[in-house]
Amino acid sequence: MGDPASVVPLEFVAVKDSLSYEDVPVEILDCQVTRLRNKEVASVKVWWRSPSVEGATWKAEVAMKAKYPHLFPSNSTPA
């Protein structure tokens, strides 16, 4: 038996021809630099909005800047 509260309305899902959809990043919540043995890795906490779930995850800053530059202020300095 299904739960009617967990049904996602179709008008909110933008399904592509390949029958997939893309999560949409809403904003950058936080940033951190993790120090490994011989390098530092910059990460950002991203707030995502998707049809299935809303939430935040940590992602690599370089990858997020390359794919979603509009989320980063133009006057920010590289980490």
Side-chain angles (χ1 to χ4, degrees):
M1 211 144 98
D3 179 14
S6 66
V7 175
V8 177
L10 291 178
E11 60 268 7
F12 296 118
V13 181
V15 179
K16 299 178 184 178
D17 291 338
S18 63
L19 298 179
S20 63
Y21 65 90
E22 184 176 347
D23 291 339
V24 179
V26 178
E27 68 177 306
I28 304 297
L29 300 175
D30 196 8
C31 59
Q32 70 180 13
V33 177
T34 305
R35 179 144 177 87
L36 303 176
R37 288 184 180 205
N38 57 358
K39 67 178 182 177
E40 294 181 346
V41 178
S43 301
V44 290
K45 191 171 189 178
V46 183
W47 180 258
W48 296 92
R49 180 169 298 135
S50 71
S52 59
V53 67
E54 287 190 12
T57 57
W58 288 97
K59 297 291 182 182
E61 182 179 23
V62 173
M64 291 300 295
K65 276 188 178 180
K67 193 165 183 181
Y68 306 104
H70 65 278
L71 293 175
F72 296 87
S74 60
N75 59 356
S76 66
T77 58

